[in-house]
Amino acid sequence: MMKADLITTLKRLTGAGILLALVVLTVSIFIPLPQELFAPVSVASVRVEDRRGIPLRTLLNDEQGRGVWKPLHEIAPEMRLAVVAIEDHRFRSHVGIDPLSVARAVWTNLISFRVRSGGSTLTQQAARRIVPIPRTLGGKLREAWYALRIERTLTKDEILEQYLNRAPFGNQLFGIEAAAKQYFDKSASSLSLAEAAFLAALPNAPTTLNPYRNDTAARERQRLVLRRMRDESMISQEEYDRAVIQPLNIVSPAVAFKAPHAVQMAIAELRETPSLAVVRTTIDAPLQSALEQIVRNALRQLTDRNVTNAAVVVIENATGAIRALVGSADFFDDAISGQVNGAVALRQPGSALKPFTYALAFESGMHPADIVADVPLAVEDADGDYVPENYDRQYHGPVRLRTALACSYNIPAVRLLRRMGKDRLKSKLIEAGFTTLTEPASHYGFGLTLGNADVRLLELTNAYASLARGGTWKQTALIEHVRLHAAGEWDVPPTGVREIFDERAAFLVSDILSDPAARRPAFGNAFRFPFWCAVKTGTTKDYRDNWTIGYTTSHTVGVWVGNFDGAPMRGVSGVTGAGTIFTDVITHVREVLGGSSDAPKAPQGVQRASVCAMSG
């Protein structure tokens, strides 16, 4: 009897506990939620600008989204109706949860053997945005509990306002005003019926329905929204017919996100800085836009040569400021891996590294008129004999250093490196800002002077800018100053200035690279400009990369052309590939940013003299 009594008592206590829990739960539903939960969310955004204040991008609040709170009366009526039609057509009649929608969702999930529908009302969806709730069964119950309490705290219109200002619309956009501005360049108050239906479709699956990646799916769901609105008698058949055929002029992502790779680099550089308000970069927005177009135009001419991508960097010599940075042909094109940043990707530079070997030679007392033998060579290296070949598969006999560098002959460069030493060249390249040369010099061998090491376009271009400055290396700058939300403004000081080459050695290299007569035997009449310009090309042996780097007295330009997947191009050299883009870019940079057309003056200790071709 005692055992039976104990079981009975436990059952009664359990029943009482359940009853008490139900009473508490029921009562709690009628307890209003604190009003602070529903306060309009002001987005603490970061505005990234070019050097003159032209906006490049506005991004990210703590929720990784962008938006401005819009009162319901400032949101187009069509938008309010569209959201109700597609998300919760019984919104005005239920108490926060909709038993019919839940039952339909359960049935749909059972017959399809997977979760296809959650049955959440607009109030429940708003609850998820107001209070973080996990997407679990327990979370679903909490969501319903919060929805019931929200319905007893806010009016239906206030709930709808909460939803429209907190819903995700893809591409890091939260809130209808941000979505309207991004996709249609207008306020949420000015949306047409077709536009409202389009935007109302997105929160259901903002990633899958991303208009920039899956426009077809987004438009199909827009038509579903319109059908629901018509079937619910929210719009007439005539309004439906007009909306279905109305063109949607979706703003290109490039319009709202200028200089994307440069912006990403600037934000990454300041990631640890709190409360950013405005980031003023060194980028020149009109120049950046023009160079992006130059790249696109040039690549269209190379499609039959299996060329899909290019990158361009423009550096102001005097300051190290990056005036333009094109990381790929199209940031928004996944087919060509457009979000890869070619300005900092690791690629082999080919002959573009040779000038630094020659600079070492000139520092050692050699001069451009010295003779070097361009004849067959086998030099002992770590992996056996290294046998370099010239690009044209020919030997040119005794040639002067001027001709050897200007024509980019490989064998003379290897002969010089054997004289200068691999360790010395590697150390000098590290001084010149190459951060990727992490292996011992023996790892690269004599191929180092021919560009067998991975480098970054940005670092290579800045190393050439050091030659343009007479041997002085400066750290590149992408950010001019930053304004904080909390307090004031601070400049980003330049970091790092060092002398890496003797001024005379740098001048001699520049003089050779700007000599059209010296390069004519190999390059014909390529790279002839109405202003002084030093230029060097580089092409890897298998045509996976080609480069053209050059400078005027005011700016240095680096261009890489190739494919991010490593696929070889078909017969594209530094002249026909990167050289074409370089010519257009350096010419446009001169027109837009100006600068002297004159050659740099010879430093003290350098004299120009005629040399007898026969005797030297």
PDB file of all heavy atoms in Angstrom, residues 67-82:
ATOM      1  N   GLY A  67      21.047  49.626 -43.238  1.00  0.00           N
ATOM      2  CA  GLY A  67      19.675  50.049 -43.340  1.00  0.00           C
ATOM      3  C   GLY A  67      19.369  51.279 -42.522  1.00  0.00           C
ATOM      4  O   GLY A  67      20.126  51.654 -41.642  1.00  0.00           O
ATOM      5  N   VAL A  68      18.260  51.916 -42.829  1.00  0.00           N
ATOM      6  CA  VAL A  68      17.756  53.068 -42.095  1.00  0.00           C
ATOM      7  C   VAL A  68      16.317  52.761 -41.709  1.00  0.00           C
ATOM      8  O   VAL A  68      15.529  52.291 -42.531  1.00  0.00           O
ATOM      9  CB  VAL A  68      17.811  54.344 -42.964  1.00  0.00           C
ATOM     10  CG1 VAL A  68      17.190  55.518 -42.231  1.00  0.00           C
ATOM     11  CG2 VAL A  68      19.255  54.657 -43.359  1.00  0.00           C
ATOM     12  N   TRP A  69      15.970  52.987 -40.448  1.00  0.00           N
ATOM     13  CA  TRP A  69      14.619  52.671 -39.977  1.00  0.00           C
ATOM     14  C   TRP A  69      13.599  53.566 -40.645  1.00  0.00           C
ATOM     15  O   TRP A  69      13.743  54.771 -40.697  1.00  0.00           O
ATOM     16  CB  TRP A  69      14.546  52.830 -38.469  1.00  0.00           C
ATOM     17  CG  TRP A  69      13.299  52.216 -37.877  1.00  0.00           C
ATOM     18  CD1 TRP A  69      12.080  52.804 -37.771  1.00  0.00           C
ATOM     19  CD2 TRP A  69      13.178  50.911 -37.323  1.00  0.00           C
ATOM     20  NE1 TRP A  69      11.185  51.937 -37.181  1.00  0.00           N
ATOM     21  CE2 TRP A  69      11.838  50.762 -36.886  1.00  0.00           C
ATOM     22  CE3 TRP A  69      14.066  49.846 -37.141  1.00  0.00           C
ATOM     23  CZ2 TRP A  69      11.368  49.602 -36.286  1.00  0.00           C
ATOM     24  CZ3 TRP A  69      13.591  48.683 -36.540  1.00  0.00           C
ATOM     25  CH2 TRP A  69      12.256  48.572 -36.130  1.00  0.00           C
ATOM     26  N   LYS A  70      12.527  52.947 -41.165  1.00  0.00           N
ATOM     27  CA  LYS A  70      11.470  53.674 -41.850  1.00  0.00           C
ATOM     28  C   LYS A  70      10.149  53.470 -41.124  1.00  0.00           C
ATOM     29  O   LYS A  70       9.697  52.329 -40.966  1.00  0.00           O
ATOM     30  CB  LYS A  70      11.326  53.129 -43.250  1.00  0.00           C
ATOM     31  CG  LYS A  70      11.684  53.925 -44.481  1.00  0.00           C
ATOM     32  CD  LYS A  70      11.913  55.342 -44.400  1.00  0.00           C
ATOM     33  CE  LYS A  70      11.936  55.928 -45.815  1.00  0.00           C
ATOM     34  NZ  LYS A  70      12.212  57.346 -45.808  1.00  0.00           N
ATOM     35  N   PRO A  71       9.475  54.535 -40.668  1.00  0.00           N
ATOM     36  CA  PRO A  71       8.133  54.371 -40.088  1.00  0.00           C
ATOM     37  C   PRO A  71       7.188  53.768 -41.118  1.00  0.00           C
ATOM     38  O   PRO A  71       7.364  53.978 -42.328  1.00  0.00           O
ATOM     39  CB  PRO A  71       7.729  55.806 -39.736  1.00  0.00           C
ATOM     40  CG  PRO A  71       9.001  56.578 -39.691  1.00  0.00           C
ATOM     41  CD  PRO A  71       9.922  55.929 -40.672  1.00  0.00           C
ATOM     42  N   LEU A  72       6.183  53.051 -40.654  1.00  0.00           N
ATOM     43  CA  LEU A  72       5.298  52.341 -41.580  1.00  0.00           C
ATOM     44  C   LEU A  72       4.616  53.289 -42.555  1.00  0.00           C
ATOM     45  O   LEU A  72       4.449  52.951 -43.736  1.00  0.00           O
ATOM     46  CB  LEU A  72       4.245  51.550 -40.791  1.00  0.00           C
ATOM     47  CG  LEU A  72       3.435  50.552 -41.624  1.00  0.00           C
ATOM     48  CD1 LEU A  72       4.328  49.444 -42.153  1.00  0.00           C
ATOM     49  CD2 LEU A  72       2.296  49.958 -40.800  1.00  0.00           C
ATOM     50  N   HIS A  73       4.236  54.481 -42.096  1.00  0.00           N
ATOM     51  CA  HIS A  73       3.525  55.394 -42.997  1.00  0.00           C
ATOM     52  C   HIS A  73       4.425  55.938 -44.106  1.00  0.00           C
ATOM     53  O   HIS A  73       3.942  56.547 -45.062  1.00  0.00           O
ATOM     54  CB  HIS A  73       2.896  56.557 -42.203  1.00  0.00           C
ATOM     55  CG  HIS A  73       3.902  57.502 -41.614  1.00  0.00           C
ATOM     56  ND1 HIS A  73       4.443  57.310 -40.356  1.00  0.00           N
ATOM     57  CD2 HIS A  73       4.460  58.649 -42.102  1.00  0.00           C
ATOM     58  CE1 HIS A  73       5.291  58.297 -40.101  1.00  0.00           C
ATOM     59  NE2 HIS A  73       5.312  59.117 -41.145  1.00  0.00           N
ATOM     60  N   GLU A  74       5.760  55.715 -43.989  1.00  0.00           N
ATOM     61  CA  GLU A  74       6.686  56.145 -45.035  1.00  0.00           C
ATOM     62  C   GLU A  74       7.105  54.989 -45.939  1.00  0.00           C
ATOM     63  O   GLU A  74       8.023  55.127 -46.760  1.00  0.00           O
ATOM     64  CB  GLU A  74       7.925  56.785 -44.408  1.00  0.00           C
ATOM     65  CG  GLU A  74       7.639  58.106 -43.690  1.00  0.00           C
ATOM     66  CD  GLU A  74       8.900  58.747 -43.142  1.00  0.00           C
ATOM     67  OE1 GLU A  74      10.006  58.380 -43.596  1.00  0.00           O
ATOM     68  OE2 GLU A  74       8.777  59.608 -42.253  1.00  0.00           O
ATOM     69  N   ILE A  75       6.445  53.868 -45.800  1.00  0.00           N
ATOM     70  CA  ILE A  75       6.695  52.710 -46.661  1.00  0.00           C
ATOM     71  C   ILE A  75       5.509  52.568 -47.610  1.00  0.00           C
ATOM     72  O   ILE A  75       4.345  52.661 -47.190  1.00  0.00           O
ATOM     73  CB  ILE A  75       6.868  51.427 -45.823  1.00  0.00           C
ATOM     74  CG1 ILE A  75       8.078  51.570 -44.892  1.00  0.00           C
ATOM     75  CG2 ILE A  75       7.030  50.203 -46.723  1.00  0.00           C
ATOM     76  CD1 ILE A  75       8.232  50.423 -43.904  1.00  0.00           C
ATOM     77  N   ALA A  76       5.786  52.349 -48.871  1.00  0.00           N
ATOM     78  CA  ALA A  76       4.725  52.266 -49.880  1.00  0.00           C
ATOM     79  C   ALA A  76       3.652  51.258 -49.468  1.00  0.00           C
ATOM     80  O   ALA A  76       3.979  50.141 -49.024  1.00  0.00           O
ATOM     81  CB  ALA A  76       5.324  51.871 -51.226  1.00  0.00           C
ATOM     82  N   PRO A  77       2.355  51.613 -49.598  1.00  0.00           N
ATOM     83  CA  PRO A  77       1.268  50.676 -49.244  1.00  0.00           C
ATOM     84  C   PRO A  77       1.396  49.347 -49.976  1.00  0.00           C
ATOM     85  O   PRO A  77       1.060  48.294 -49.419  1.00  0.00           O
ATOM     86  CB  PRO A  77       0.005  51.430 -49.665  1.00  0.00           C
ATOM     87  CG  PRO A  77       0.407  52.885 -49.677  1.00  0.00           C
ATOM     88  CD  PRO A  77       1.842  52.910 -50.074  1.00  0.00           C
ATOM     89  N   GLU A  78       1.867  49.402 -51.225  1.00  0.00           N
ATOM     90  CA  GLU A  78       2.029  48.166 -52.005  1.00  0.00           C
ATOM     91  C   GLU A  78       2.988  47.197 -51.313  1.00  0.00           C
ATOM     92  O   GLU A  78       2.819  45.981 -51.368  1.00  0.00           O
ATOM     93  CB  GLU A  78       2.547  48.484 -53.410  1.00  0.00           C
ATOM     94  CG  GLU A  78       1.564  49.248 -54.291  1.00  0.00           C
ATOM     95  CD  GLU A  78       1.614  50.761 -54.070  1.00  0.00           C
ATOM     96  OE1 GLU A  78       2.306  51.209 -53.115  1.00  0.00           O
ATOM     97  OE2 GLU A  78       0.981  51.489 -54.848  1.00  0.00           O
ATOM     98  N   MET A  79       4.006  47.773 -50.674  1.00  0.00           N
ATOM     99  CA  MET A  79       4.988  46.937 -49.984  1.00  0.00           C
ATOM    100  C   MET A  79       4.359  46.238 -48.785  1.00  0.00           C
ATOM    101  O   MET A  79       4.583  45.054 -48.542  1.00  0.00           O
ATOM    102  CB  MET A  79       6.174  47.802 -49.541  1.00  0.00           C
ATOM    103  CG  MET A  79       7.328  47.016 -48.943  1.00  0.00           C
ATOM    104  SD  MET A  79       8.155  46.006 -50.195  1.00  0.00           S
ATOM    105  CE  MET A  79       8.555  44.546 -49.223  1.00  0.00           C
ATOM    106  N   ARG A  80       3.548  46.982 -48.040  1.00  0.00           N
ATOM    107  CA  ARG A  80       2.894  46.400 -46.866  1.00  0.00           C
ATOM    108  C   ARG A  80       1.970  45.253 -47.277  1.00  0.00           C
ATOM    109  O   ARG A  80       1.944  44.192 -46.656  1.00  0.00           O
ATOM    110  CB  ARG A  80       2.094  47.465 -46.124  1.00  0.00           C
ATOM    111  CG  ARG A  80       2.924  48.651 -45.644  1.00  0.00           C
ATOM    112  CD  ARG A  80       2.023  49.704 -45.025  1.00  0.00           C
ATOM    113  NE  ARG A  80       2.236  51.024 -45.592  1.00  0.00           N
ATOM    114  CZ  ARG A  80       1.389  52.028 -45.480  1.00  0.00           C
ATOM    115  NH1 ARG A  80       0.247  51.860 -44.832  1.00  0.00           N
ATOM    116  NH2 ARG A  80       1.663  53.205 -46.010  1.00  0.00           N
ATOM    117  N   LEU A  81       1.198  45.477 -48.346  1.00  0.00           N
ATOM    118  CA  LEU A  81       0.271  44.457 -48.822  1.00  0.00           C
ATOM    119  C   LEU A  81       1.010  43.235 -49.360  1.00  0.00           C
ATOM    120  O   LEU A  81       0.608  42.091 -49.119  1.00  0.00           O
ATOM    121  CB  LEU A  81      -0.625  45.045 -49.917  1.00  0.00           C
ATOM    122  CG  LEU A  81      -1.618  46.122 -49.471  1.00  0.00           C
ATOM    123  CD1 LEU A  81      -2.310  46.740 -50.684  1.00  0.00           C
ATOM    124  CD2 LEU A  81      -2.657  45.541 -48.510  1.00  0.00           C
ATOM    125  N   ALA A  82       2.110  43.472 -50.094  1.00  0.00           N
ATOM    126  CA  ALA A  82       2.849  42.364 -50.699  1.00  0.00           C
ATOM    127  C   ALA A  82       3.421  41.439 -49.636  1.00  0.00           C
ATOM    128  O   ALA A  82       3.369  40.201 -49.764  1.00  0.00           O
ATOM    129  CB  ALA A  82       3.964  42.928 -51.587  1.00  0.00           C
TER     130      ALA A  82
END
